[in-house]
Amino acid sequence: MARLGDVFTISSGGTPNKKEISFYEHGTIPWVKTGDLKGKYVPDIIECITEAGLNNSSAKLFPPNTVLIAMYGATIGACSILPYEASTNQACAAFLPCDNVLPEYLFYFLSSKKEQFVKDGVGGAQPNISAGYLKNVEFDIKPIDKQKEVICSLNLVDNLISLRKQQLAKLDELVKSRFVELFGDPSSNPMGWKETTVGAECYYIKDGPHKSLLDVGEGNGYPFISVRNIVNGYIDFSTAKYISEQDYLDSIKKCHPQKGDMLYSKGGTTGIAKLIDVDVEFANWVHVAVLKFDDTLNGVFFENMLNCDYCYDQSQRLTKGIANRDLVLSAMAQIKMYKPPLELQKKFATFVEQADKSKLAVQRSLDKLETLKKALMQKYFG
């Protein structure tokens, strides 16, 4: 067992003088930011710096097969392999290539430690790890042939995970295409459906308590839903806070979400709708609104209507604030939409139901693959 600092040269970049940076126009040297570290390989970069920007600063140029890892803020632990020569700033640590460790093996090792890196981050609003910290991380150097076996195994699982995600994306696109096929482009309403607004269609538009409530822990109360619990078209209760029975009863006096109602995000991330399609008693925080509507509007159609570009773009224009973004209830009610005949709405809902069954099967397969990957990472890297 060695330390990473005993095996690799670990460096960090620097920020060029802004007067010397020329993004988009004259720069030719790829400039990698922590936000670009989203997969195994850094994607094609759209930003570049000039040679003057590189030479007249502490910025460094790193060779292909360098492994970068984010050290600051929300992206701590994100890592990727450089497929080309590029520069980066001090927010990234760079592991320069070495002869006895394959870049993909190091990538998987660092990825397996992400939760630990996040936990060990120090600082306030922008926690960080340092190059010195990384140099002391223990690292088991396996023979190259063993590294190749690990890479092959994890690559296989990664490829299957990627395939499942592509399948989910295609099913989502299929639903969007069916929506346009049946109803036309909402922005132009070519079929001349009845034009209306969210406020005209909903007899109840309310948000939850305007204060945080004590988390009593799962099994001791009722789920308390926020924006983060509306994920990929599902209500994710696994990350929800739980509030006491008394707080729940007080909350639903103000706003009572029930099966068949619509959740609509209004704080932070705004303009995301999710039909309540589960029989679960829960309360909602102020950042989520509850919309109730009559039976002339199909819930599945309404959810897709609100989430289409036409309504979403309106929600973003109506959202106020930068740091504290808010889509107030009165503005939400102004969002324009159209309303086709109920039978056509139901026809679309039936199609979505079948697509959702396919998505559920794919999602279950994806969940199993991600569990398998975590088990393999634990097996290989501890």
Side-chain angles (χ1 to χ4, degrees):
M1 190 71 72
R3 297 179 306 158
L4 286 173
D6 297 330
V7 182
F8 296 95
T9 298
I10 304 175
S11 182
S12 60
T15 301
N17 186 319
K18 290 186 178 180
K19 293 181 180 179
E20 301 289 355
I21 298 178
S22 181
F23 292 123
Y24 312 116
E25 296 179 2
H26 307 295
T28 58
I29 300 170
W31 174 253
V32 182
K33 306 177 296 301
T34 56
D36 298 316
L37 309 182
K38 296 178 180 178
K40 186 184 299 182
Y41 292 95
V42 177
D44 292 339
I45 302 301
I46 61 172
E47 292 184 330
C48 294
I49 62 172
T50 61
E51 288 190 20
L54 177 69
N55 296 331
N56 298 332
S57 71
S58 59
K60 298 181 179 66
L61 194 61
F62 297 112
N65 291 323
T66 294
V67 178
L68 300 178
I69 182 169
M71 296 190 292
Y72 297 166
T75 57
I76 282 181
C79 56
S80 294
I81 303 168
L82 265 181
Y84 44 73
E85 191 175 55
S87 183
T88 185
N89 65 13
Q90 62 271 23
C92 293
F95 289 75
L96 299 181
C98 70
D99 294 336
N100 57 345
V101 179
L102 299 172
E104 281 185 284
Y105 184 79
L106 175 61
F107 164 78
Y108 280 124
F109 170 79
L110 293 174
S111 297
S112 75
K113 304 300 179 184
K114 186 177 188 301
E115 289 185 6
Q116 186 63 46
F117 296 158
V118 171
K119 180 180 178 182
D120 290 346
V122 297
Q126 291 291 323
N128 66 88
I129 54 176
S130 65
Y133 165 87
L134 291 169
K135 288 177 181 178
N136 286 310
V137 173
E138 291 189 336
F139 178 66
D140 183 17
I141 305 178
K142 296 184 183 297
I144 291 294
D145 61 334
K146 294 295 183 183
Q147 293 182 39
K148 288 180 178 179
E149 289 179 11
V150 170
I151 291 168
C152 183
S153 176
L154 291 172
N155 277 348
L156 177 60
V157 177
D158 264 352
N159 290 339
L160 290 172
I161 287 173
S162 178
L163 177 61
R164 296 295 179 268
K165 289 181 177 179
Q166 290 174 32
Q167 289 174 324
L168 289 173
K170 286 179 180 178
L171 286 166
D172 285 338
E173 287 301 317
L174 185 63
V175 168
K176 291 179 181 179
S177 296
R178 184 59 171 160
F179 186 95
V180 174
E181 180 185 343
L182 286 175
F183 308 118
D185 182 352
S187 62
S188 58
N189 192 11
M191 299 181 184
W193 306 122
K194 174 189 174 183
E195 296 183 1
T196 183
T197 64
V198 169
E201 295 303 323
C202 298
Y203 61 85
Y204 179 111
I205 303 178
K206 296 184 179 182
D207 55 18
H210 289 223
K211 61 180 180 180
S212 294
L213 298 176
L214 180 66
D215 186 355
V216 298
E218 185 175 358
N220 297 317
Y222 294 81
F224 190 52
I225 298 301
S226 187
V227 175
R228 68 173 182 168
N229 304 113
I230 304 174
V231 182
N232 297 327
Y234 299 93
I235 303 172
D236 182 6
F237 291 100
S238 67
T239 58
K241 291 175 60 176
Y242 281 76
I243 58 176
S244 69
E245 181 176 11
Q246 187 58 56
D247 279 341
Y248 167 74
L249 293 174
D250 290 341
S251 296
I252 63 174
K253 287 178 184 177
K254 182 180 191 306
C255 180
H256 191 185
Q258 296 171 293
K259 186 176 182 180
D261 295 341
M262 190 70 64
L263 299 178
Y264 200 44
S265 63
K266 62 176 291 288
T269 300
T270 63
I272 305 299
K274 177 65 189 92
L275 179 69
I276 302 177
D277 52 6
V278 291
D279 281 311
V280 177
E281 293 182 318
F282 66 90
N284 56 293
W285 194 37
V286 59
H287 283 179
V288 178
V290 172
L291 314 181
K292 295 180 185 288
F293 45 93
D294 64 29
D295 58 7
T296 64
L297 194 61
N298 177 272
V300 174
F301 165 80
F302 191 26
E303 177 186 319
N304 282 269
M305 182 81 235
L306 289 174
N307 286 331
C308 76
D309 290 343
Y310 175 61
C311 289
Y312 178 77
D313 291 345
Q314 292 179 69
S315 75
Q316 300 313 289
R317 291 194 297 270
L318 291 166
T319 297
K320 304 300 181 184
I322 299 175
N324 297 305
R325 304 179 75 244
D326 188 25
L327 175 62
V328 299
L329 299 179
S330 58
M332 186 184 298
Q334 298 172 28
I335 293 174
K336 298 176 182 178
M337 54 178 283
Y338 59 68
K339 188 176 180 181
L342 184 58
E343 286 305 311
L344 200 58
Q345 296 179 42
K346 290 180 177 179
K347 182 177 181 180
F348 173 72
T350 299
F351 179 85
V352 173
E353 182 181 353
Q354 295 303 314
D356 282 347
K357 289 180 180 178
S358 297
K359 285 179 65 176
L360 180 60
V362 175
Q363 185 64 52
R364 285 173 174 167
S365 175
L366 176 59
D367 292 343
K368 289 180 180 179
L369 287 168
E370 290 180 334
T371 299
L372 173 61
K373 181 179 177 180
K374 287 182 180 179
L376 288 174
M377 296 279 261
Q378 179 67 28
K379 173 184 175 182
Y380 296 139
F381 304 118

